[in-house]
Amino acid sequence: MSEVKKTELGQLGEFGLIHHLTDNIKLKHPATIKGVGDDAAVLDFSDKKTVVTTDLLLEGIHFDLTYTPLKHLGYKAVVVNVSDVYAMNATPKQITVSLGLSSKMSVEALDELYEGIYAACDYYNVDLVGGDTSSSLTGLTISVTAMGEADASKLTYRNGAKPNDLICVSGDLGGAYMGLQLLEREKRVYSDNPGVQPDLSGYDYILGRQLKPEARKEVTELLQKLEVVPTAMIDISDGLSSELIHICSQSKTGCRVYENKIPIDPTTAMLAEEMGINPLVTALNGGEDYELLFTISQSDYEKFKDAGDVNIYIIGHITEESKGSYLVTNADQEVELQAQGWNPLKNKQ
Amino acid sequence: MSEVKKTELGQLGEFGLIHHLTDNIKLKHPATIKGVGDDAAVLDFSDKKTVVTTDLLLEGIHFDLTYTPLKHLGYKAVVVNVSDVYAMNATPKQITVSLGLSSKMSVEALDELYEGIYAACDYYNVDLVGGDTSSSLTGLTISVTAMGEADASKLTYRNGAKPNDLICVSGDLGGAYMGLQLLEREKRVYSDNPGVQPDLSGYDYILGRQLKPEARKEVTELLQKLEVVPTAMIDISDGLSSELIHICSQSKTGCRVYENKIPIDPTTAMLAEEMGINPLVTALNGGEDYELLFTISQSDYEKFKDAGDVNIYIIGHITEESKGSYLVTNADQEVELQAQGWNPLKNKQ
């Protein structure tokens, strides 16, 4: 058995490490005037508006390295940020990546993480323009900031939804949450019986939703093509309920969404039932699906006939604020939406 | 004795916490179109260039909460970032702040941290426009990204220094490092004899350099006023040696700096000698002073006669690359500069 090469981070030193990780960056955008290598990156957004967003990923909270391949983790760290840029109806252009690294991490492991970061930069057509690399006494820390640009007239906030607007979602929900449940279950089985191989067969789709999510760039491209500017938009990172409540509270509206309209993949539903979880709950409160949730004027509805390959699901409509925010079940009951989210700050019971 | 109020973070929940921390933000810049509260902030840099920089501060690596007041820490987290913006000869405009919080941290403690962040936002005239708040299994994690703007013609990189340019520094060096040594010494004394009060009297200046550094905004204002654009500029976060080497290697030059020209505060020198450290080494390798190091054409030298209150020290000059980068000691010996920096990734010996 050949040994995996492990170069200690200390062998390269801080500046050596930065060179090692960033020397091969090829900038994609003329608007990226200066990338890595000075006190700050320099960007030119000229006549466009700039959007900026940031997300922090911490070991033990947002990811578990026992079952998360580092390449996927690097990819996902970029995805969760560009997803926020798309949710503004903007186009991502640049990112910065800061890392806190424990000394037990090897250069080769870090290279895998960066392989994922660079793969995402290529797929989403963004330039890596800066960052900060530090040691960490504890786990791996990843902080990404993404910048993007948009015409002022296309920017889409959370606060523009109007009564009678249609509520749209760009893909099925709950898969990422069930992927996480599956990985956690198999981790427990493995820790009880280290001889047993994890049984993940047949679940590629939902594992992919958890481990290698994609941001929905084709949706913002479609909106561009169809010349539709949504009245409000948000990405689904905390679960449908929570994001609907964000839109309704910022837009000062209510909403009705219908159980039978909410897209849930059959694998998600099957595994949820096997594990005694109501599939609807995974869609409402699961989170991390990174689909886009947006509202459109009824007058734009016809345009979506030319949506082509991109599936857009209409799951309900916006109401007056006084009518509240409710899910209408298949039994025609109204259940008030709750902003559960992940609330990772809540003490474990 | 009255008890200090401690509200657990979990009582507010994630969204409650974000509201608690950000509801009172008043945006300062017309260019900040949308701040906290959507998927991304929206900025308008119109005909200016945008600079962006980011820094990560990790508990146990960059700060020790046993002697760092949280308010100072929040202030410093902003300072280290706006300092990088000034080092581009740009004006900071916006920041994002991401936090990883351990559950043992109270809302009141977090408020102190934010008090410092907001104080720095006021002093440096920047808008807090976004961030991410998460729980952390381990220590406190602070990730700040700063954006600023500059006219294209004023942007100052590290790579523009030319032979015969004068090397300038905006203030005394080594103080922050000696402040840290003092705090660490008194921490050891206290941990050996918990009854003994730390003896920090007479050291206010260097403690302030470590705990509450300022970025040199008045220097970029002065450069503006004097109509001087430095040929190269960098902020001193890793020590003078390391930053000089950055400028020389990116500008493809060498340099000569003179021991007797390097500004060192008397308190710094006194404490260094008391602790058996060569004061010159604290200036060359100490770091965290956040002074600006820049090079100017000799033809701009006269203009600095109108510098008024702002002290600018000329410590040497740029040479041809083949002449190397050296310190000239008081005994007229040439000592090659070494990029020691902090190298926090190096294994502890």
Side-chain angles (χ1 to χ4, degrees):
Chain A
M1 207 169 108
S2 70
E3 242 180 62
V4 177
K5 191 181 170 208
K6 280 199 181 175
T7 311
E8 284 185 23
L9 293 176
Q11 284 178 246
L12 294 185
E14 186 186 351
F15 302 132
L17 186 64
I18 293 169
H19 275 295
H20 175 85
L21 295 174
T22 61
D23 272 356
N24 295 318
I25 293 178
K26 284 183 186 56
L27 299 176
K28 302 169 188 79
H29 298 290
T32 309
I33 298 172
K34 171 84 185 181
V36 171
D38 216 294
D39 296 284
V42 180
L43 317 174
D44 180 0
F45 291 98
S46 50
D47 56 338
K48 303 273 189 172
K49 301 304 171 207
T50 308
V51 305
V52 58
T53 178
T54 189
D55 266 298
L56 191 61
L57 277 77
L58 300 174
E59 185 173 346
I61 302 288
H62 301 95
F63 56 89
D64 184 332
L65 288 179
T66 57
Y67 53 70
T68 310
L70 283 163
K71 187 175 166 182
H72 285 10
L73 179 61
Y75 195 93
K76 185 169 174 173
V78 178
V79 164
V80 302
N81 278 279
V82 297
S83 178
D84 279 320
V85 173
Y86 291 127
M88 301 301 289
N89 204 20
T91 305
K93 294 281 169 176
Q94 292 95 4
I95 59 165
T96 63
V97 175
S98 292
L99 297 173
L101 304 167
S102 77
S103 62
K104 70 180 182 210
M105 192 168 207
S106 67
V107 174
E108 289 74 16
L110 190 56
D111 283 343
E112 270 183 62
L113 183 75
Y114 263 83
E115 221 182 292
I117 290 170
Y118 285 130
C121 285
D122 284 344
Y123 183 71
Y124 293 103
N125 196 33
V126 297
D127 287 329
L128 175 61
V129 296
D132 188 21
T133 306
S134 161
S135 50
S136 158
L137 284 185
T138 52
L140 176 62
T141 302
I142 309 175
S143 177
V144 178
T145 298
M147 281 138 290
E149 64 175 34
D151 295 328
S153 61
K154 301 236 166 72
L155 277 166
T156 306
Y157 297 95
R158 296 176 179 174
N159 64 7
K162 297 270 176 300
N164 300 317
D165 284 356
L166 299 173
I167 301 171
C168 309
V169 67
S170 62
D172 63 272
L173 303 176
Y177 178 77
M178 286 318 300
L180 181 62
Q181 300 310 308
L182 181 63
L183 288 163
E184 289 285 343
R185 183 180 76 179
E186 296 305 315
K187 182 186 170 185
R188 282 192 300 272
V189 170
Y190 182 80
S191 103
D192 292 345
N193 307 286
V196 178
Q197 281 297 310
D199 180 15
L200 301 170
S201 56
Y203 292 115
D204 291 359
Y205 178 70
I206 58 174
L207 289 171
R209 294 291 277 176
Q210 170 59 224
L211 293 176
K212 193 176 177 291
E214 297 285 1
R216 300 307 309 275
K217 77 168 174 170
E218 60 277 35
V219 175
T220 38
E221 286 162 5
L222 175 71
L223 293 170
Q224 200 91 353
K225 193 187 92 180
L226 301 181
E227 294 182 357
V228 172
V229 177
T231 51
M233 185 150 62
I234 191 169
D235 73 326
I236 302 183
S237 53
D238 292 335
L240 180 62
S241 275
S242 174
E243 316 304 358
L244 278 169
I245 288 171
H246 278 309
I247 286 184
C248 289
S249 97
Q250 293 204 23
S251 299
K252 298 191 181 13
T253 65
C255 71
R256 290 296 176 279
V257 291
Y258 297 87
E259 179 178 2
N260 62 3
K261 303 284 186 193
I262 294 173
I264 298 176
D265 187 81
T267 341
T268 303
M270 218 165 56
L271 182 63
E273 274 164 15
E274 186 189 318
M275 293 178 83
I277 301 169
N278 182 345
L280 186 63
V281 170
T282 69
L284 292 175
N285 299 326
E288 289 205 286
D289 288 311
Y290 301 105
E291 296 295 340
L292 290 169
L293 175 71
F294 57 97
T295 55
I296 57 166
S297 292
Q298 296 221 6
S299 59
D300 281 329
Y301 173 71
E302 288 293 311
K303 296 181 184 168
F304 282 86
K305 297 214 159 118
D306 301 320
D309 289 345
V310 185
N311 282 325
I312 301 293
Y313 303 87
I314 295 174
I315 61 170
H317 61 272
I318 296 293
T319 66
E320 299 291 340
E321 188 172 22
S322 59
K323 298 210 169 146
S325 296
Y326 287 87
L327 170 83
V328 182
T329 69
N330 292 346
D332 219 19
Q333 287 186 307
E334 295 201 332
V335 182
E336 190 163 11
L337 295 172
Q338 307 279 344
Q340 280 190 260
W342 289 99
N343 196 359
L345 294 168
K346 204 163 51 186
N347 285 330
K348 292 248 168 69
Q349 301 300 316
Chain B
M1 206 170 112
S2 70
E3 243 180 61
V4 177
K5 191 180 170 209
K6 281 200 179 176
T7 312
E8 286 185 21
L9 293 175
Q11 282 177 247
L12 294 185
E14 186 186 352
F15 303 132
L17 186 63
I18 293 168
H19 276 294
H20 174 84
L21 295 174
T22 60
D23 272 358
N24 295 320
I25 293 179
K26 285 183 186 55
L27 299 176
K28 303 169 187 79
H29 298 291
T32 308
I33 299 171
K34 171 83 185 180
V36 171
D38 216 294
D39 295 284
V42 179
L43 317 175
D44 181 0
F45 290 99
S46 51
D47 56 338
K48 302 274 189 171
K49 303 303 173 207
T50 309
V51 305
V52 58
T53 179
T54 188
D55 267 298
L56 191 60
L57 277 77
L58 300 173
E59 185 173 346
I61 302 287
H62 302 94
F63 56 89
D64 184 332
L65 290 179
T66 55
Y67 53 69
T68 311
L70 283 163
K71 187 175 168 184
H72 286 8
L73 180 60
Y75 195 93
K76 183 169 175 174
V78 178
V79 165
V80 302
N81 278 279
V82 296
S83 178
D84 279 320
V85 174
Y86 291 126
M88 302 300 290
N89 205 19
T91 306
K93 293 281 170 177
Q94 291 95 3
I95 59 165
T96 63
V97 176
S98 291
L99 298 173
L101 304 166
S102 77
S103 61
K104 69 178 182 212
M105 192 168 207
S106 68
V107 173
E108 289 74 16
L110 190 56
D111 283 343
E112 270 183 60
L113 184 75
Y114 264 82
E115 219 182 296
I117 290 171
Y118 285 130
C121 286
D122 284 344
Y123 183 71
Y124 294 103
N125 197 32
V126 297
D127 286 329
L128 174 62
V129 297
D132 188 19
T133 307
S134 161
S135 50
S136 159
L137 285 185
T138 50
L140 176 61
T141 301
I142 309 175
S143 178
V144 177
T145 297
M147 281 138 291
E149 64 176 34
D151 295 328
S153 62
K154 301 235 167 73
L155 277 166
T156 306
Y157 297 96
R158 295 175 180 176
N159 64 7
K162 299 270 176 300
N164 301 318
D165 283 355
L166 300 173
I167 301 171
C168 310
V169 67
S170 61
D172 64 273
L173 303 176
Y177 179 77
M178 286 318 301
L180 181 61
Q181 299 312 308
L182 181 64
L183 288 163
E184 289 285 344
R185 182 181 78 178
E186 296 304 315
K187 183 185 170 186
R188 281 192 302 273
V189 170
Y190 183 78
S191 104
D192 292 345
N193 306 287
V196 177
Q197 280 298 310
D199 179 16
L200 301 170
S201 55
Y203 293 115
D204 291 359
Y205 178 69
I206 60 173
L207 289 171
R209 293 292 276 175
Q210 170 58 225
L211 294 175
K212 193 176 177 290
E214 297 285 1
R216 300 306 309 274
K217 76 168 174 170
E218 60 276 34
V219 175
T220 39
E221 287 163 4
L222 175 70
L223 293 169
Q224 200 91 353
K225 193 187 94 180
L226 301 181
E227 294 182 358
V228 172
V229 178
T231 51
M233 185 151 59
I234 192 169
D235 71 325
I236 301 182
S237 53
D238 292 333
L240 180 62
S241 274
S242 175
E243 317 303 358
L244 277 169
I245 288 171
H246 278 309
I247 286 185
C248 289
S249 98
Q250 293 204 25
S251 299
K252 299 192 181 11
T253 64
C255 71
R256 290 293 177 282
V257 290
Y258 297 87
E259 179 177 2
N260 62 3
K261 302 284 185 192
I262 295 173
I264 298 176
D265 187 81
T267 340
T268 304
M270 218 165 56
L271 182 63
E273 273 164 18
E274 185 189 318
M275 293 176 84
I277 301 169
N278 181 345
L280 186 62
V281 170
T282 71
L284 292 174
N285 300 326
E288 290 205 285
D289 287 312
Y290 301 105
E291 295 296 339
L292 291 169
L293 174 71
F294 57 97
T295 55
I296 57 166
S297 293
Q298 296 221 7
S299 59
D300 280 330
Y301 173 69
E302 288 293 313
K303 296 182 185 168
F304 282 86
K305 298 215 161 121
D306 302 321
D309 289 345
V310 186
N311 282 325
I312 302 292
Y313 302 87
I314 296 175
I315 61 169
H317 60 272
I318 296 293
T319 66
E320 300 292 340
E321 188 173 21
S322 59
K323 299 211 169 146
S325 296
Y326 288 87
L327 171 84
V328 183
T329 68
N330 292 346
D332 218 20
Q333 286 186 309
E334 294 203 333
V335 183
E336 190 164 10
L337 295 172
Q338 307 279 343
Q340 280 190 260
W342 289 99
N343 196 0
L345 294 166
K346 204 163 51 186
N347 285 330
K348 292 247 167 69
Q349 302 299 319

